[in-house]
């Protein structure tokens, strides 16, 4: 076994895990606070990638990422206020699944109508240039930036959820919206914030991949199922669980693809999910307190 090749697989696993962590954390926040299974998450990830495709050449990499995050957060607020909050309380869980599934199809087909079905790539002069050298491992700087953005973003999210009054309010709403309202917490306001955070994180995940890979309207189809599997393995609504499992899955896929085949890599996360569900159906990090 070549040690350099192993370290390259580890580096690739960290990059994959960082991208998955941004997506999975957003999905976990939305489910943890709003009890909404957001099937549009992959389509929103794709929208974030396209937003960065247009923003980055105009503003540069870092400003483009920030503008993408703000744009997607605004879209999340519109989704919550214009669609999800208006659903009747009776059967809301199944209604939100159907609504977000339909929304995903609308977003994807709308993107095909606007930008075509073919892949697009960011112009060479708009991509981060250079490499990060770690011993014998050479990492393109665009991939390294994915890890940097994920670590900073998830660190800020952790501080928000664990160290602020807003985070405590989000946990209160996730446990008992009625009791939260009695003590002066607005579930509607917290719901808007949760959706903005979740969709913003999906947008950041898409934006960080734009300088590294091609973007297309179909790019969110496969990844959304992987991210759902990650959230289930971690424990529905557990943000720390989603993040930890994201990096585990990133490593699993990297080594499965490196020493196996593309098919092995594709199915590894779902085999992992099945194995965990057989021994711990509630997920690895499930707790009574969500978020």
């Amino acid at each position: 076994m070549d040690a350099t090749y192993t370290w390259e697989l580890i580096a690739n696993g960290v990059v994959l895990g960082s991208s998955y962590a941004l997506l999975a954390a957003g999905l976990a926040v939305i489910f943890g606070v709003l009890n909404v299974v957001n099937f549009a998450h992959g389509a929103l990830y794709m929208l974030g990638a396209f937003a960065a495709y247009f923003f980055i050449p105009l503003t540069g990499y870092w400003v483009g990422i920030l503008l993408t995050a703000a744009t997607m957060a605004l879209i999340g607020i519109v989704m919550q206020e214009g669609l999800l909050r208006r659903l009747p309380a009776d059967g809301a869980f199944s209604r939100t699944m159907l609504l977000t599934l339909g929304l995903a199809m609308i977003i994807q087909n709308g993107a095909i109508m606007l930008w075509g079905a073919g892949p697009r790539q960011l112009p060479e002069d708009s991509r981060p240039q250079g490499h990060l050298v770690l011993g014998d491992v050479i990492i393109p700087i665009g991939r390294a930036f994915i890890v940097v953005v994920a670590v900073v973003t998830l660190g800020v999210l952790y501080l928000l959820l664990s160290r602020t009054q807003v985070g405590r309010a989000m946990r209160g709403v996730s446990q008992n919206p009625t009791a939260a309202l009695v003590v002066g917490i607005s579930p509607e306001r917290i719901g808007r914030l949760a959706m903005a955070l979740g969709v913003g994180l999906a947008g950041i995940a898409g934006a960080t991949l734009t300088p590294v890979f091609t973007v297309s309207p179909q790019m969110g189809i496969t990844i959304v199922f992987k991210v759902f599997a990650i959230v289930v393995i971690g424990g529905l609504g557990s943000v720390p669980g989603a993040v930890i499992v994201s990096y585990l899955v990133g490593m699993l896929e990297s080594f499965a693809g490196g020493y196996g085949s593309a098919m092995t890599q594709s199915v590894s996360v779902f085999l992992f999910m099945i194995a965990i569900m057989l021994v711990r159906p509630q997920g690895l990090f499930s707790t009574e307190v969500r978020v």
Side-chain angles (χ1 to χ4, degrees), residues 23-183:
L23 272 168
L27 200 61
V29 167
I30 292 172
F31 182 82
V33 176
L34 297 171
N35 204 35
V36 169
V37 179
N38 183 20
F39 280 105
H41 213 62
L44 294 165
Y45 157 81
M46 176 270 293
L47 272 187
F50 268 100
Y53 174 82
F54 293 112
F55 280 138
I56 289 175
L58 296 175
T59 64
Y61 181 85
W62 296 107
V63 176
I65 296 290
L66 291 174
L67 286 174
T68 298
T71 301
M72 297 308 298
L74 182 60
I75 289 173
I77 293 172
V78 172
M79 278 181 59
Q80 174 63 15
E81 289 299 298
L83 298 173
L84 295 172
R85 194 169 71 86
R86 297 178 183 274
L87 292 176
D90 182 33
F93 186 78
S94 59
R95 292 175 193 270
T96 56
M97 284 197 296
L98 292 172
L99 188 150
T100 56
L101 182 60
L103 185 61
M105 298 174 69
I106 291 169
I107 292 172
Q108 182 183 322
N109 286 284
I112 292 173
M113 290 177 61
L114 285 174
W115 303 309
R120 298 187 179 206
Q121 191 165 33
L122 203 63
E124 182 71 28
D125 58 358
S126 298
R127 298 180 219 162
Q129 303 297 318
H131 295 82
L132 176 65
V133 180
L134 299 173
D136 294 328
V137 179
I138 300 175
I139 306 170
I141 201 68
R143 289 176 174 264
F145 281 172
I146 294 174
V147 180
V148 172
V149 171
V151 169
V152 172
T153 303
L154 294 171
V156 171
L157 179 66
Y158 168 77
L159 292 175
L160 175 69
L161 295 178
S162 64
R163 303 293 177 87
T164 68
Q165 192 66 34
V166 171
R168 287 187 284 272
M170 292 177 75
R171 287 195 295 276
V173 170
S174 71
Q175 293 176 67
N176 192 323
T178 303
L181 184 61
V182 169
V183 298

